[in-house]
Amino acid sequence: MPLTGPRGALSSLAVVALVAAFVFGATAPAQAATVSESQGRTTIVAGTNKHRTANDRSLLKTSAALDKVAQAWAASMAKANSAKYEPGKVLAHNPKMSQQIPGGWTAAGENVAYNCGYSAPASKLVSQWKASAGHNANMLSSKYTHLGVGYATDKYGCAWGVQVFAGYPSSKTLSSSATLQTYFSTSKPAISGTRKVGSKLTASVTAWQPSATFTYQWRRDGKAISGATGKTYLLRAADKGHQIDVKVTGKRANYVTKARFSAKTASIR
């Protein structure tokens, strides 16, 4: 029988605290989710760190080692529910999580959840955790430095999410297994100034989330102009009759380097 509406449940495990899951009905959904494993995990990482940023918490670093543990557990729950549709019974914590993650941690925790029938299931998982005090406490805890994420979809289209949190002292690094994150939001640069030889053009960039350090490269008809790497550019005789744009590259530690391009100006006079 199809669901009468989207459904979900969740459970949260801190170091010693277990929050009981809220179990909903057990009729199988009629439509499968379409979010890939990679997309789901990326959405959950971005949503978690966006939530931490909004609450003045430091960003959590991602780790392939923690991802592996989280993904294996998410996949195991999806597999179990595919075999028999009982999501309320399937939802559980990984009893070996603390032994499976790299040693040396000072704090560890886990959030698990599932939902069925949502058009954006990964984003919904983040919303479910944020809306529950115990799960939200894990997401915002200052004890944690690293995050691993698992995301899987069962044959009924239900999405299963796992967050594995761990705190490591400064002497302990997971750099060998770190994965780069993507920006929550970026914006194209804009160009202001008079389009005339001898005038100065200025590039401006609306703040990215999180913030980034920017470098600039001015271009003429899509080709880089030698030495034109400042925030401003003084139009020269060679620019007359051509279009100018600027490439802005944002960089931040532990983030994928991102480049954005402005719109091209009309022909320079």
Side-chain angles (χ1 to χ4, degrees):
M1 294 176 62
L3 288 170
T4 56
R7 305 183 182 190
L10 39 76
S11 189
S12 169
L13 179 68
V15 179
V16 295
L18 174 67
V19 178
F22 296 95
V23 182
F24 292 77
T27 53
Q31 184 175 359
T34 57
V35 177
S36 70
E37 174 189 314
S38 177
Q39 291 173 324
R41 291 166 66 176
T42 297
T43 297
I44 292 171
V45 170
T48 301
N49 271 332
K50 184 176 183 179
H51 184 44
R52 289 179 68 89
T53 298
N55 286 274
D56 297 321
R57 303 294 197 277
S58 60
L59 298 176
L60 294 176
K61 298 178 181 179
T62 56
S63 161
L66 299 185
D67 283 343
K68 183 178 179 179
V69 175
Q71 185 58 38
W73 192 247
S76 71
M77 290 191 292
K79 181 179 180 180
N81 200 58
S82 292
K84 185 176 182 180
Y85 187 80
E86 294 182 319
K89 292 183 179 180
V90 169
L91 185 69
H93 288 289
N94 177 1
K96 297 182 180 180
M97 180 270 291
S98 61
Q99 288 79 46
Q100 293 172 344
I101 64 176
W105 52 268
T106 56
E110 182 184 61
N111 282 349
V112 298
Y114 80 89
N115 63 58
C116 309
Y118 288 91
S119 60
S123 295
K124 180 61 179 179
L125 288 169
V126 176
S127 296
Q128 287 172 267
W129 287 320
K130 287 167 61 176
S132 171
H135 309 83
N136 191 54
N138 268 348
M139 294 175 75
L140 297 180
S141 176
S142 59
K143 296 179 180 179
Y144 302 134
T145 58
H146 289 76
L147 170 68
V149 170
Y151 180 88
T153 304
D154 63 30
K155 74 175 185 180
Y156 298 108
C158 294
W160 297 83
V162 177
Q163 293 176 306
V164 171
F165 304 90
Y168 291 92
S170 57
S171 60
K172 175 70 179 183
T173 67
L174 297 176
S175 58
S176 62
S177 61
T179 55
L180 297 179
Q181 300 182 56
T182 56
Y183 290 95
F184 308 144
S185 64
T186 62
S187 61
K188 291 182 179 181
I191 296 176
S192 60
T194 303
R195 294 180 292 100
K196 185 177 181 181
V197 172
S199 297
K200 182 171 66 176
L201 300 180
T202 301
S204 58
V205 186
T206 302
W208 291 10
Q209 293 295 328
S211 60
T213 298
F214 298 116
T215 56
Y216 303 85
Q217 176 62 67
W218 292 87
R219 310 192 311 167
R220 180 188 302 121
D221 295 336
K223 296 182 179 180
I225 302 171
S226 179
T229 56
K231 188 174 182 179
T232 61
Y233 175 64
L234 185 64
L235 292 167
R236 56 194 75 169
D239 298 321
K240 188 172 182 178
H242 299 278
Q243 294 178 303
I244 301 296
D245 71 347
V246 64
K247 171 186 175 182
V248 172
T249 302
K251 295 183 178 181
R252 182 185 176 96
N254 300 314
Y255 275 74
V256 176
T257 297
K258 178 79 173 181
R260 299 298 303 269
F261 297 83
S262 72
K264 292 181 179 180
T265 67
S267 295
I268 302 302
R269 302 192 302 274

